[in-house]
């Protein structure tokens, strides 16, 4: 007991290591009780750069596949669009744990810098794609080599004092959600510029010969600026070359104090660097929140793919006959509303209801909302514009509310030294489910277009029914005994 008290007293005296970047951040947090505005700004723009290319292709993917002349029939375009949409997430699923482990060992900053540079290269190459296989391979490499999100989620928890962690992760979710909305808006407005803006871009120009390059190029330029700015990004990982035993002993004691129910497991903490992955997989509060998170991400990615395909498909197949610019306009409005909600309302909602209840409410409200989509498609003119805009905004707000609540649970379930690996596991699992989302959503959409005259759930009614079934499964999984809250929050 005397040894325990001695170690805790040493930690209570705040032993900072002079050359440790993590200690510098801890010292800053202890001396400053306000919001770290500069660091939150870094969070926002880095995550935005990582999110923009993920779904920027959805508004023009239908037309890109058509221009590749690989689909024999118009109804088959959705199948091939699903494969291109899945390639990014499949690549990320294979490497996210690796990037998380690298971030835990060498720091968050090197992974973020490398990911930003690869984003610039492969996103630009995707815009230059001239055939289906080039598009698939560049998206796969973009996903596998750009491991930014996991380290940034760990960074958000480490850069903020505990009372501001919800805000930090909310900014991650906000930036991510805005990127997933503004990205398609850019793709919708800027794809095929020679057709939309013939006075500026000619058919013989670079953007006339590569009609989908302009949105990709602009996103890559933004990512290049973020890569340069990331050179000033402060590191948050504790890198101590001395007294490792003291650090490990304190972490074990701290974890025991917060998680008495797992005392037996934490006694082996001195070996956690060798067995960290195994211990994380046995951490049920972490794994249960990751599994629930994956179900909702499967739904969200399938929805993103289906919404854009549904909006640009002809009305004879139950679509809206929108142009890419129309889709971009809807998503731009959604992105602005989402920004306002996450910055000003979500922290209040989360503080009042808690992360789990917030996720449940978001999932429950999403089901009747999606059920209304096939009926909205029967409208036209101003009423269609207003309703589809409001529905899209509300759907994105609910989705990001669910995501943020589960982010909080995941980061509170592990200690700082495990957050990179934990977020890597989360990203790998999520990416696998997200890879299934576009492929499954594209196949489901193509199948539904061929059954317009059946009696039971014709056409797009079946598409949104399946999406609601996935959402309902996710909602049920947010209840005990499946979802477990982290012990330190109890």
């Amino acid at each position: 007991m005397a040894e325990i008290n001695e170690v805790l007293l040493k930690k209570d005296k705040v032993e900072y290591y002079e050359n440790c970047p993590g200690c510098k951040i801890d010292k800053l947090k202890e001396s400053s009780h306000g919001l770290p505005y500069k660091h939150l700004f870094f969070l926002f723009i880095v995550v935005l750069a990582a999110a923009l290319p993920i779904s920027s292709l959805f508004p023009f993917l239908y037309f890109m596949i058509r221009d590749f002349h690989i689909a024999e029939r118009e109804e088959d375009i959705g199948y091939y669009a699903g494969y291109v949409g899945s390639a990014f997430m499949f690549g990320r699923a294979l490497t996210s744990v690796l990037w998380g482990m690298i971030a835990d060992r060498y720091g968050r900053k090197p992974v973020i810098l490398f990911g930003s540079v690869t984003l610039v290269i492969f996103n630009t190459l995707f815009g230059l794609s001239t055939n289906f296989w080039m598009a698939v391979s560049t998206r796969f490499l973009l996903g596998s080599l750009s491991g930014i999100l996991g380290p940034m989620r760990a960074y958000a928890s480490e850069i903020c004092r505990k009372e501001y962690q919800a805000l930090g992760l909310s900014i991650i979710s906000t930036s991510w959600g805005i990127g997933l909305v503004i990205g398609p808006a850019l793709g919708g407005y800027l794809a095929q510029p020679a057709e939309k803006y013939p006075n500026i871009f000619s058919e013989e120009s670079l953007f006339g010969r590569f009609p989908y390059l302009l949105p990709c190029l602009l996103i890559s330029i933004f990512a290049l600026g973020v890569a340069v700015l990331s050179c000033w990004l402060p590191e948050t990982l504790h890198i101590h070359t001395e007294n490792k035993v003291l650090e490990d002993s304190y972490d074990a004691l701290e974890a025991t104090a917060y998680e008495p129910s797992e005392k037996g497991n934490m006694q082996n903490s001195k070996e956690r660097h060798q067995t960290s992955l195994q211990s994380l997989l046995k951490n049920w509060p972490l794994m249960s929140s990751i599994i629930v998170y994956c179900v909702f991400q499967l739904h969200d990615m399938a929805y993103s793919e289906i919404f854009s395909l549904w909006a640009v498909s002809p009305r004879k197949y139950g679509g809206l006959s929108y142009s890419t610019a129309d889709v971009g306009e809807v998503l731009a409005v959604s992105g602005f509303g989402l920004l306002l909600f996450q910055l000003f309302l979500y922290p209040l909602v989360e503080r009042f209801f808690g992360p789990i209840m917030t996720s449940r409410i978001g999932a429950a409200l999403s089901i009747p909302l999606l059920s209304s989509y096939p009926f909205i498609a029967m409208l036209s003119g101003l009423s269609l514009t207003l309703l589809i805009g409001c529905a899209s905004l509300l759907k994105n707000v609910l989705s990001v509310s669910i995501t943020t609540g589960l982010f909080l649970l995941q980061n509170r379930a592990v200690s700082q030294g495990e957050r990179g690996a934990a977020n890597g596991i989360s990203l790998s699992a999520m990416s696998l489910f997200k890879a299934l989302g576009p492929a499954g959503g594209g196949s489901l959409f193509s199948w539904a277009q061929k059954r317009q005259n059946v009696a039971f759930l014709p056409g797009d009614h079946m598409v949104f029914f399946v999406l609601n079934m996935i959402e309902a499964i996710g909602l049920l999984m947010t209840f005990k005994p499946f979802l477990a809250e982290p012990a330190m929050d109890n």
Side-chain angles (χ1 to χ4, degrees):
M1 189 66 186
E3 292 179 1
I4 292 176
N5 290 334
E6 182 181 354
V7 174
L8 289 176
L9 283 172
K10 285 183 179 178
K11 193 70 177 185
D12 288 339
K13 290 179 182 177
V14 194
E15 274 193 27
Y16 294 119
Y17 289 73
E18 184 177 355
N19 296 319
C20 172
C23 287
K24 292 179 181 178
I25 293 297
D26 284 349
K27 193 174 181 180
L28 179 65
K29 287 194 292 184
E30 183 151 342
S31 62
S32 176
H33 294 270
L35 279 169
Y37 290 105
K38 183 176 74 172
H39 297 140
L40 293 177
F41 173 72
F42 279 134
L43 275 180
F44 184 84
I45 62 167
V46 173
V47 174
L48 181 62
L52 284 173
I54 291 179
S55 56
S56 62
L57 74 165
F58 287 145
F60 60 77
L61 186 56
Y62 186 93
F63 302 100
M64 176 183 262
I65 299 299
R66 183 197 64 188
D67 294 346
F68 288 156
H69 304 294
I70 193 171
E72 295 181 1
R73 297 177 299 173
E74 188 176 15
E75 297 95 317
D76 295 331
I77 290 177
Y79 287 110
Y80 295 97
Y83 295 138
V84 177
S86 296
F88 177 93
M89 291 301 168
F90 183 65
R92 195 166 74 176
L94 296 178
T95 61
S96 290
V97 172
L98 174 63
W99 288 121
M101 295 173 71
I102 291 173
D104 278 345
R105 181 161 185 175
Y106 299 105
R108 320 309 189 197
K109 185 174 178 178
V111 176
I112 294 167
L113 278 170
F114 182 81
S116 300
V117 172
T118 57
L119 192 156
V120 172
I121 295 170
F122 291 105
N123 189 58
T124 304
L125 289 175
F126 173 71
L128 295 169
S129 296
T130 55
N131 58 67
F132 174 74
W133 292 110
M134 182 178 177
V136 169
S137 59
T138 53
R139 289 288 294 180
F140 174 81
L141 291 170
L142 176 60
S144 60
L145 296 177
S146 182
I148 295 176
L149 182 58
M152 289 308 296
R153 282 164 55 180
Y155 187 90
S157 294
E158 295 159 1
I159 207 70
C160 297
R161 297 172 62 91
K162 185 165 184 180
E163 59 265 33
Y164 299 128
Q165 282 184 3
L167 177 61
L169 288 169
S170 176
I171 286 176
I172 290 275
S173 294
T174 301
S175 182
W176 190 257
I178 289 173
L180 295 182
V181 173
I182 299 299
L186 291 174
Y189 280 120
L190 302 178
Q192 301 168 315
E195 295 181 16
K196 295 175 185 169
Y197 316 109
N199 294 331
I200 303 175
F201 304 98
S202 67
E203 291 288 346
E204 293 75 27
S205 67
L206 177 65
F207 299 113
R209 289 184 289 117
F210 299 98
Y212 310 106
L213 173 61
L214 182 58
C216 297
L217 185 61
L218 287 182
I219 291 172
S220 295
I221 292 172
F222 177 71
L224 180 61
V226 169
V228 174
L229 193 60
S230 295
C231 295
W232 288 272
L233 191 72
E235 181 59 71
T236 59
L237 183 67
H238 285 273
I239 303 173
H240 301 163
T241 57
E242 300 175 351
N243 298 330
K244 292 292 289 183
V245 176
L246 174 62
E247 289 295 314
D248 288 356
S249 300
Y250 171 73
D251 287 341
L253 294 169
E254 186 182 51
T256 305
Y258 281 119
E259 300 182 50
S261 63
E262 299 184 11
K263 182 178 179 180
N265 291 335
M266 293 308 293
Q267 286 175 350
N268 296 320
S269 62
K270 61 184 178 181
E271 299 174 5
R272 77 182 188 279
H273 292 295
Q274 291 78 19
T275 61
S276 60
L277 185 59
Q278 184 179 0
S279 65
L280 287 174
L281 294 175
K282 293 179 180 179
N283 183 336
W284 184 242
L286 171 66
M287 296 309 297
S288 62
S289 61
I290 288 176
I291 294 169
V292 176
Y293 175 66
C294 287
V295 172
F296 284 118
Q297 290 303 301
L298 170 66
H299 171 276
D300 290 348
M301 202 66 183
Y303 168 80
S304 296
E305 172 93 359
I306 287 169
F307 179 81
S308 295
L309 293 174
W310 172 67
V312 300
S313 63
R315 280 198 172 265
K316 64 180 180 179
Y317 295 124
L320 304 181
S321 294
Y322 270 16
S323 66
T324 56
D326 294 329
V327 177
E329 183 177 341
V330 170
L331 296 178
V333 172
S334 299
F336 181 71
L338 182 64
L339 173 63
L340 296 180
F341 171 80
Q342 283 293 105
L343 289 181
F344 299 109
L345 294 180
Y346 179 80
L348 300 176
V349 172
E350 190 274 334
R351 196 174 300 134
F352 185 78
F353 291 107
I356 294 180
M357 184 56 68
T358 301
S359 297
R360 288 173 185 162
I361 293 171
L365 292 178
S366 294
I367 294 174
L369 176 64
L370 281 179
S371 300
S372 69
Y373 274 45
F375 302 100
I376 293 177
M378 299 176 182
L379 303 174
S380 61
L382 181 61
S383 57
L384 171 63
T385 302
L386 291 176
L387 274 179
I388 200 63
C390 292
S392 177
L393 169 60
L394 184 57
K395 179 65 180 71
N396 283 299
V397 163
L398 296 175
S399 295
V400 174
S401 297
I402 296 169
T403 300
T404 306
L406 294 171
F407 274 179
L408 285 168
L409 292 180
Q410 290 170 32
N411 279 281
R412 290 173 181 175
V414 293
S415 61
Q416 191 212 32
E418 296 175 320
R419 280 185 189 137
N423 281 301
I425 293 172
S426 173
L427 275 178
S428 286
M430 175 198 72
S431 298
L432 182 59
F433 276 72
K434 278 194 166 188
L436 297 174
S443 299
L444 174 65
F445 182 79
S446 292
W447 174 65
Q449 285 194 322
K450 299 171 185 174
R451 54 188 310 278
Q452 297 292 327
N453 300 316
V454 299
F456 179 69
L457 298 175
D460 295 326
H461 288 268
M462 175 59 76
V463 174
F464 294 107
F465 173 77
V466 173
L467 287 177
N468 275 336
M469 291 298 293
I470 298 172
E471 190 83 353
I473 291 171
L475 174 60
L476 291 174
M477 292 172 72
T478 61
F479 291 90
K480 293 181 179 179
F482 189 85
L483 185 63
E485 284 196 72
M488 67 176 62
D489 282 352
N490 292 334

